[in-house]
C-alpha cells in the first residue's frame, strides 16, 4: 500500500511534464500499474479489516472511493476556474496525497506475508473463484460502459441537450455512490448472495428501460437502477474472494481483478463498434445481457458465504 500510493503520487507529477504522445503513453502505463498495485493492496487490507467485523463494511470503502471521484472532479473545476497549470495542479495533489498516505499508514493492519510453496508470479482464478471473476467482469463491463457511453447515449438517443446528458451521467454516479453507502446495511440484513442477485436484476432492468423507453424520465430512471445495480457487486465479490481456501486474499483479489478489468477495458470499445454498425440502443440492449449473466452466475454460487477464510496473520 505504501509503495503503490507513493509511486502513484510520483507518476502523477510526471504526467504534467510529458511533452509527447509516447512520453504520455509510457507514463500512463506506469500510472495504471501504480494505481492497481495500490488498489489491490488496499482491497486486500479491506478484506482483512472486514474479517474483524460481524457486519458488512466493504461497500462503504468503495463508497468513499466514489466520493473521491466527485472530489477529484470538483478540485479539477476549481483549478480550471483559477487557470492553474496542470503541472502545478498535479504537484499540489500529489504532495497532499503523499502526506495523507504517510500519516495514515501507521494506523493500518500489518499483514505478514503468508508462507507459501513456490508458485508462479501470477495464477488464474481457481474453480471456486472463476464464477466470481465472471461476475466481476460483467459488472465492470456495465460500469465502464456507463462511464464512457451513458452521456452520449442520452444525447444521441434520448435528448440532444448536452446539459441533460451530463446531468443523467451525474445522476448515475450519485445512485452508484448512494448504493455503496447503504449497501452494507442491506448486505447485513439480506446476505451477499441476495444483494448480488438484485444487483444483476437492477442492471438488466435499468438498461432495458433506457433502451425500450428512450425518454428523459424513463432513461434517467434506468440509469439510476444501473447505478444501484453496479454499486455493491465488486466490493461484495472481493469480500467473498477473501474466503477462498486455496489462495491468499491478495492473490485471490489480484486474479479476480485481472479478469474483471478485461470487462472494463474490452467491452466499452465493443459498444462503439456495435453503435457504428447499428446504433447505441442496440449496444445498450446487448450490455443489458450482462445483468442477466450476473443473476445466472449468482444462482450457481451455492452457499458461498459459509466458506472459511484464508488465514491472515497480523501484528
Amino acid at each position: 500500500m505504501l509503495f503503490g500510493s507513493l509511486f502513484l503520487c510520483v507518476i502523477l507529477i510526471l504526467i504534467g511534464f510529458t511533452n509527447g504522445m509516447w512520453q504520455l503513453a509510457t507514463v500512463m502505463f506506469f500510472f495504471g500499474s501504480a494505481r492497481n498495485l495500490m488498489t489491490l493492496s488496499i482491497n486486500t487490507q479491506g478484506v482483512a479489516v472486514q474479517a474483524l467485523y460481524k457486519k458488512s463494511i466493504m461497500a462503504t470503502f468503495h463508497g468513499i472511493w466514489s466520493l473521491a471521484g466527485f472530489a477529484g472532479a470538483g478540485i479539477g473545476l476549481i483549478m480550471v476556474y483559477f487557470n492553474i497549470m496542470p503541472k502545478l495542479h498535479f504537484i499540489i495533489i500529489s504532495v497532499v496525497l503523499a502526506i495523507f498516505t504517510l500519516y495514515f499508514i501507521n494506523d493500518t493492519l500489518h499483514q505478514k506475508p503468508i508462507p507459501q510453496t513456490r508458485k508462479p508470479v501470477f495464477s488464474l482464478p481457481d474453480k471456486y473463484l472463476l464464477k466470481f471473476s465472471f461476475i466481476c467482469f460483467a459488472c465492470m463491463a456495465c460500469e465502464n460502459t456507463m462511464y464512457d457511453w451513458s452521456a452520449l447515449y442520452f444525447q444521441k438517443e434520448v435528448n440532444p441537450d448536452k446539459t441533460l446528458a451530463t446531468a443523467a451521467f451525474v445522476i448515475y454516479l450519485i445512485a452508484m455512490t448512494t448504493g455503496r453507502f447503504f449497501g452494507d446495511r442491506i448486505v447485513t440484513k439480506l446476505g451477499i448472495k441476495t444483494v448480488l442477485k438484485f444487483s444483476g436484476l437492477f442492471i438488466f432492468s435499468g438498461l432495458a428501460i433506457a433502451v425500450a423507453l428512450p425518454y428523459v424520465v424513463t432513461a434517467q430512471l434506468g440509469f439510476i437502477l444501473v447505478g444501484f445495480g453496479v454499486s455493491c457487486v465488486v466490493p461484495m465479490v472481493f469480500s467473498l474472494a477473501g474466503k477462498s481456501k486455496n489462495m491468499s486474499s491478495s492473490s485471490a483479489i489480484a486474479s479476480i481483478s485481472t479478469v474483471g478489468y478485461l470487462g472494463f477495458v474490452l467491452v466499452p470499445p465493443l459498444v462503439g463498434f456495435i453503435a457504428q454498425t447499428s446504433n447505441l440502443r442496440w449496444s445498450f440492449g446487448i450490455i443489458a445481457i450482462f445483468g442477466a449473466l450476473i443473476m445466472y452466475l449468482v444462482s450457481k454460487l451455492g452457499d458461498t458465504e459459509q466458506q472459511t477464510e484464508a488465514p491472515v496473520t497480523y501484528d
Side-chain angles (χ1 to χ4, degrees), residues 246-268:
N246 301 323
M247 302 177 74
S248 66
S249 57
S250 57
S251 299
I253 291 173
S255 60
I256 286 177
S257 296
T258 300
V259 177
Y261 275 114
L262 288 177
F264 210 75
V265 172
L266 298 179
V267 174

Side-chain angles (χ1 to χ4, degrees), residues 176-188:
M176 182 179 69
T177 304
T178 303
R180 285 175 171 168
F181 279 108
F182 283 95
D184 285 320
R185 298 181 187 179
I186 300 172
V187 167
T188 301

Side-chain angles (χ1 to χ4, degrees), residues 154-193:
F154 207 89
Q155 187 180 345
K156 295 289 185 181
E157 304 293 340
V158 180
N159 190 296
D161 191 321
K162 291 184 178 180
T163 303
L164 284 176
T166 302
F169 175 63
V170 171
I171 287 172
Y172 158 76
L173 289 178
I174 291 173
M176 182 179 69
T177 304
T178 303
R180 285 175 171 168
F181 279 108
F182 283 95
D184 285 320
R185 298 181 187 179
I186 300 172
V187 167
T188 301
K189 290 183 178 180
L190 303 180
I192 292 178
K193 187 175 176 180

